[in-house]
Amino acid sequence: MYVMDIQYLAVQDTRLYTGLMATPVELTQLRRGVLQYCVLALIEDRDRYGYDLVTELSEAGLVASEGTVYPLLRRLRRENLVTTSWQESSSGPPRRYYRASTEGRRALAEFRTAWSDFTNAVHNLVSPRKDA
Amino acid sequence: MHPAFSAYLADLKNAAAALPESERRDIVADVTEHFASAEAERPLSDQLARDVIEHLGSPDHIVAAAAPAPVAFSTPQSQTLEHLGIGCLAVVPMAMILPPLGVLLGLVGVAIVVFSRWFPLKEKAITAAVFLGLPSAVMAAGAMAWQNTTIVDGAQPSTSDEASLFIVIAMAVVFLTLMWGQCWRLARALRSSAR
């Protein structure tokens, strides 16, 4: 109960914080569930650093609070779905770059199939009927 | 680094105090890099720095995302104590054959339910009302009736036995009706642990 309350408050707080999440709680949770695969897709075959990834996800409307992507990246690292490397930047300190590992690419491939089936099924059910 | 960023990082360190050391270090390092990258991208006015922070979300928010997987999406925590509480309450009507035992089980059950974080407020209120409020009210009414009739009536004990049987049955029925969800969960937990 306690954790669910926190999630609920977090969602409420997000709405206040960025004004970007004027969507039902269900959509927020759906987005949260698919986010890791969006990350894997962005780094499927090239290295990208955190800020770059985070701002792209944010601009695509997939995250309301950019900061919450970092714990996700850490989890992907811990689960060996991504590999990381430090690379010099032209300005400022070195940056941590992320890239999907072999397991990460496999997980993404499985998700692609499942997601495509899922969206087709949902689309068929929820789109307005032409004959109606 | 922009002063607003430094202030944010200080807040983040505080908010992350409860996280494991390695996790806290990683989060602070990640957000520090985020700020450095934002500054490297373009010169930041105060307004732009505020925008970067606003997009990042509150420190509490980031820490909440770092906390262990939410209960709602993973296997629930063990609720042995809560099941025990419901179990106590469920057998109270039968245990009333030995009234002290029944009262003890009832009090233990109510205490577990009321002090557990797991039960919603409504269920706590129902439980307290059924097991504390209802018997107290009936006993008070009984005591008053007894005071009024005791002088006249010799057959008082048998009516009082019937009355207490009625109270116990009423308690069982009310409890099972209002808390059937909890009782069902208890039954399911017992069945799965029996396997």
Side-chain angles (χ1 to χ4, degrees):
Chain A
M1 270 335 276
Y2 179 66
V3 178
M4 284 172 58
D5 287 348
I6 285 188
Q7 282 184 337
Y8 177 69
L9 290 176
V11 170
Q12 295 294 307
D13 187 39
T14 308
R15 290 182 184 168
L16 293 175
Y17 215 86
T18 67
L20 196 133
M21 299 294 287
T23 51
V25 174
E26 290 82 2
L27 268 187
T28 308
Q29 299 196 339
L30 185 59
R31 204 183 274 122
R32 188 179 297 145
V34 301
L35 188 60
Q36 61 170 322
Y37 298 102
C38 298
V39 169
L40 287 173
L42 289 175
I43 51 174
E44 190 178 11
D45 39 32
R46 69 186 175 110
D47 292 3
R48 298 180 72 165
Y49 60 97
Y51 180 79
D52 181 28
L53 274 175
V54 165
T55 45
E56 172 150 0
L57 290 168
S58 173
E59 277 160 18
L62 286 167
V63 286
S65 308
E66 294 176 350
T68 57
V69 178
Y70 289 110
L72 170 65
L73 287 171
R74 187 180 188 277
R75 185 167 66 74
L76 294 178
R77 212 160 67 219
R78 216 174 43 220
E79 291 172 1
N80 294 323
L81 294 169
V82 303
T83 57
T84 63
S85 58
W86 291 95
Q87 294 177 26
E88 293 297 324
S89 78
S90 51
S91 51
R95 288 167 176 157
R96 195 203 287 274
Y97 277 74
Y98 297 83
R99 192 188 182 104
S101 67
T102 314
E103 290 101 283
R105 286 199 301 275
R106 192 180 304 134
L108 177 61
E110 278 168 21
F111 176 77
R112 275 202 176 106
T113 315
W115 178 249
S116 150
D117 294 347
F118 175 77
T119 46
N120 280 338
V122 173
H123 181 77
N124 287 340
L125 286 173
V126 303
S127 45
R129 307 212 173 235
K130 289 195 184 102
D131 52 320
Chain B
M1 182 170 285
H2 195 282
F5 291 165
S6 310
Y8 184 95
L9 286 172
D11 287 348
L12 181 63
K13 279 176 197 156
N14 282 336
L19 293 177
E21 171 62 28
S22 68
E23 184 136 21
R24 181 171 66 231
R25 233 185 6 239
D26 277 356
I27 285 180
V28 173
D30 284 337
V31 174
T32 307
E33 190 191 305
H34 184 92
F35 287 149
S37 302
E39 285 184 328
E41 200 178 55
R42 60 197 185 288
L44 290 183
S45 63
D46 286 355
Q47 181 58 48
L48 281 173
R50 271 200 299 275
D51 287 350
V52 169
I53 285 175
E54 194 174 305
H55 280 130
L56 203 54
S58 71
D60 286 341
H61 222 119
I62 300 179
V63 171
V71 171
F73 296 111
S74 62
T75 47
Q77 292 164 342
S78 165
Q79 286 143 1
T80 316
L81 194 63
E82 281 75 9
H83 287 141
L84 186 73
I86 293 291
C88 285
L89 295 177
V91 298
V92 161
M94 277 179 286
M96 276 302 180
I97 296 165
L98 277 173
L101 178 70
V103 170
L104 182 72
L105 284 175
L107 290 177
V108 169
V110 170
I112 291 176
V113 170
V114 169
F115 290 108
S116 163
R117 239 173 26 185
W118 190 61
F119 294 99
L121 192 60
K122 193 179 113 196
E123 291 181 349
K124 291 181 180 185
I126 290 173
T127 307
V130 171
F131 286 94
L132 301 178
L134 189 66
S136 319
V138 174
M139 274 196 301
M144 278 164 65
W146 185 76
Q147 267 188 340
N148 292 341
T149 57
T150 183
I151 306 158
V152 190
D153 194 0
Q156 192 55 35
S158 75
T159 41
S160 113
D161 275 356
E162 277 165 24
S164 52
L165 183 68
F166 173 76
I167 296 167
V168 165
I169 292 173
M171 273 164 64
V173 170
V174 172
F175 180 70
L176 289 174
T177 314
L178 295 177
M179 299 279 279
W180 68 271
Q182 296 295 355
C183 295
W184 169 242
R185 260 180 265 176
L186 173 70
R188 224 171 30 187
L190 287 176
R191 212 172 46 200
S192 69
S193 66
R195 270 199 220 111

